[in-house]
């Protein structure tokens, strides 16, 4: 058995910044409401036609990660891509990355676990490396939310929260059992699937021809739905539980955490978790203020930025934790 460790990180966000004031010109909202409830000041939204698709942003982040890993792209053995906003209904973006990077015919897997997507993806990659099946895996989380949001007052409870972007890591074999990913912890509770969902078009619900046939201007089924207060209540409980689970599994305590990188769901959620664990500001990394919630991309973007800013040092205990649609949630305990 081997461990896996992160040897390269990269991120990419579209240039176009959308402030809360910009949103207030599209819908009945305001900077004060958004900042008070979510901590978000602005987010990046791709401009249609500029080529910033989910897979293209993933490729840009991946190129940086590969270069920083100091490896040749053909040393990558496998690709895992997490997103809820793929370029196409099928095939998923993993194969598009393989094509765009012009890598030999390695496998490419798509992960559909929304805000927990990156945590699930890196956990899958870790298992492949642990067993010795693969040595180097490219793990990407990317989202293009902005093209699929309801930008009218009807959608304001959801739309103001989400941003576009991508993050990527190279996970590689580590011989030292005390280094790298120490453990990963995954959970789901499907009974709440409707509380944060986008139900159409779907084979089990309404397909495109039904939507076109009905041509109903009040149809909201193809926009994301979120029961905000319910999601909030569940998130703070599950974040706390799954971080504790990870610490306990490794015989660690909250004082051992050098840096917690929570999925950037909402600054108030991160602050609740920070308080619960008694962590000082320098031991929690947040960037939701300027990126919004980028779902599967949020942790790899934040991780990359924390590393770039020198906030992660050799031997640090880094904890990743996520919660989102499904509900799904998980954590990753890393000895850097
Ligand atoms: N601007 C202004 N007013 C808004 C608004 C917006 N963007 N969105 C909603 N409102 C209004 C609502 O219509 C409601 O008005 P009413 O009282 O007249 O009916 C009021 O604000 C309160 O709405 P509510 O949904 O109860 O607000 P909230 O305090 O729960 O905050 C969220 C909403 C979404 C910010 C909050 O529930 C939340 O952050 N939940 C978790 C979301 C999350 O993390 N999602 C990602 C999970 S991965």
């Amino acid at each position: 058995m081997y461990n896996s460790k992160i040897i390269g990180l990269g991120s990419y966000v579209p240039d176009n910044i959308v402030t809360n004031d910009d949103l207030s010109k599209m819908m009945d909202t305001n900077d004060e409401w958004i900042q008070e409830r979510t901590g978000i000041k602005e987010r990046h939204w791709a401009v249609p036609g500029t080529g910033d698709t989910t897979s293209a942003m993933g490729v840009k982040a991946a190129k940086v990660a590969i270069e920083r890993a100091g490896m040749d792209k053909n040393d990558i053995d496998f690709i895992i891509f997490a997103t809820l906003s793929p370029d196409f209904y099928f095939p998923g973006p993993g194969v598009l990355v393989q094509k765009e990077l012009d890598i030999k015919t390695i496998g490419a897997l798509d992960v559909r676990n929304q805000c927990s997507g990156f945590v699930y993806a890196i956990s899958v990659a870790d298992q492949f490396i642990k067993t010795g099946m693969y040595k180097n895996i490219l793990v990407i989380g990317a989202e293009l939310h902005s093209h699929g949001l309801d930008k009218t007052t009807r959608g304001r409870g959801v739309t103001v929260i989400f941003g576009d972007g991508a993050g990527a890591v190279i996970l590689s074999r580590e011989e030292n059992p005390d280094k790298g990913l120490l453990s990963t912890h995954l959970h789901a509770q499907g009974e709440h699937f409707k509380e944060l969902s986008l139900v159409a078009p779907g084979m089990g619900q309404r397909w495109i021809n039904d939507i076109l046939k009905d041509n109903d201007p009040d149809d909201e089924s193809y926009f994301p739905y979120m029961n905000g207060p319910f999601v909030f209540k569940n998130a703070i409980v599950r974040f706390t539980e799954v971080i504790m689970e990870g610490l306990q599994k490794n015989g660690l305590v909250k004082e051992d955490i050098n840096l917690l990188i929570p999925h950037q769901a909402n600054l108030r959620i991160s602050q609740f978790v920070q308080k619960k664990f008694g962590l000082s500001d320098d031991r929690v990394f947040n960037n939701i203020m300027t990126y919004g919630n980028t779902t599967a991309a949020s942790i790899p973007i934040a991780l990359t930025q924390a590393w770039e800013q020198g906030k992660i040092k050799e031997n640090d205990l880094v904890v990743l934790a996520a919660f989102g649609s499904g509900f799904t949630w998980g954590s990753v305990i890393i000895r850097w």
Side-chain angles (χ1 to χ4, degrees):
M1 290 276 273
Y2 301 100
N3 261 11
S4 67
K5 72 170 173 197
I6 293 170
I7 61 162
L9 312 94
S11 68
Y12 172 83
V13 292
D15 292 336
N16 183 44
I17 294 172
V18 176
T19 65
N20 293 344
D21 286 339
D22 292 332
L23 291 181
S24 68
K25 292 177 192 124
M26 303 173 200
M27 61 187 81
D28 182 12
T29 189
N30 57 77
D31 180 53
E32 193 190 349
W33 192 98
I34 300 171
Q35 282 211 50
E36 191 186 305
R37 298 298 210 308
T38 70
I40 301 167
K41 297 184 169 99
E42 57 190 37
R43 73 286 294 140
H44 294 246
W45 277 3
V47 175
T50 52
D52 275 338
T53 63
T54 296
S55 70
M57 291 192 288
V59 165
K60 285 180 179 162
K63 282 182 175 167
V64 179
I66 294 167
E67 194 191 327
R68 285 177 174 165
M71 69 187 336
D72 186 272
K73 64 185 180 182
N74 281 309
D75 291 334
I76 297 169
D77 303 310
F78 197 61
I79 297 167
I80 307 183
F81 200 125
T83 188
L84 64 67
S85 50
D87 299 22
F88 306 117
Y89 194 84
F90 72 84
V95 298
L96 304 179
V97 169
Q98 182 263 340
K99 171 194 164 290
E100 206 52 42
L101 289 178
D102 192 21
I103 308 180
K104 57 185 165 47
T105 57
I106 55 167
L109 174 73
D110 301 294
V111 167
R112 291 287 312 273
N113 287 78
Q114 300 70 247
C115 295
S116 312
F118 184 77
V119 164
Y120 266 75
I122 205 169
S123 175
V124 172
D126 182 45
Q127 311 314 310
F128 278 129
I129 289 174
K130 273 200 167 67
T131 59
M133 181 160 172
Y134 295 129
K135 202 169 169 193
N136 301 308
I137 301 183
L138 169 60
V139 185
I140 301 172
E143 304 286 358
L144 179 61
H145 282 303
S146 59
H147 295 190
L149 297 169
D150 181 355
K151 293 173 188 150
T152 69
T153 298
R154 186 177 65 175
R156 65 183 180 175
V158 174
T159 300
V160 301
I161 293 178
F162 292 96
D164 302 335
V169 302
I170 302 289
L171 206 64
S172 192
R173 182 184 291 175
E174 166 63 56
E175 311 270 348
N176 181 345
D178 301 323
K179 281 273 198 149
L181 272 64
L182 302 183
S183 63
T184 62
H185 307 269
L186 307 177
H187 294 277
Q189 190 177 19
E191 70 178 283
H192 299 314
F193 79 95
K194 275 194 178 147
E195 307 298 346
L196 184 47
S197 58
L198 194 159
V199 298
M203 303 298 182
Q205 297 285 328
R206 301 170 66 242
W207 190 238
I208 306 281
N209 32 5
D210 300 314
I211 294 170
L212 290 175
K213 190 177 72 205
D214 296 348
N215 193 22
D216 175 5
D218 296 325
D219 185 1
E220 296 176 57
S221 64
Y222 44 86
F223 289 123
Y225 166 77
M226 179 172 71
N227 181 346
F230 189 73
V231 170
F232 195 103
K233 280 186 210 128
N234 278 267
I236 54 178
V237 172
R238 298 310 192 182
F239 265 110
T240 309
E241 279 177 6
V242 82
I243 294 167
M244 276 311 294
E245 182 184 348
L247 291 175
Q248 280 167 2
K249 165 83 182 170
N250 294 286
L252 298 163
V253 291
K254 57 186 193 310
E255 288 75 18
D256 294 318
I257 299 174
N258 294 105
L259 192 65
L260 169 66
I261 302 187
H263 159 56
Q264 301 293 290
N266 178 323
L267 189 61
R268 307 298 160 230
I269 293 176
S270 297
Q271 286 168 337
F272 181 95
V273 176
Q274 174 177 354
K275 204 165 161 206
K276 192 95 186 160
F277 284 90
L279 299 173
S280 53
D281 288 349
D282 60 328
R283 288 163 69 203
V284 183
F285 190 86
N286 288 305
N287 65 5
I288 190 169
M289 303 74 84
T290 48
Y291 294 91
N293 177 341
T294 56
T295 308
S298 95
I299 288 181
I301 293 175
L303 187 61
T304 300
Q305 291 181 346
W307 178 82
E308 286 169 347
Q309 292 168 21
K311 293 192 167 152
I312 303 177
K313 295 176 292 304
E314 182 88 22
N315 279 322
D316 273 359
L317 189 77
V318 178
V319 176
L320 314 179
F323 174 89
S325 162
F327 291 149
T328 57
W329 63 99
S331 64
V332 183
I333 311 294
I334 306 172
R335 179 66 68 190
W336 204 267

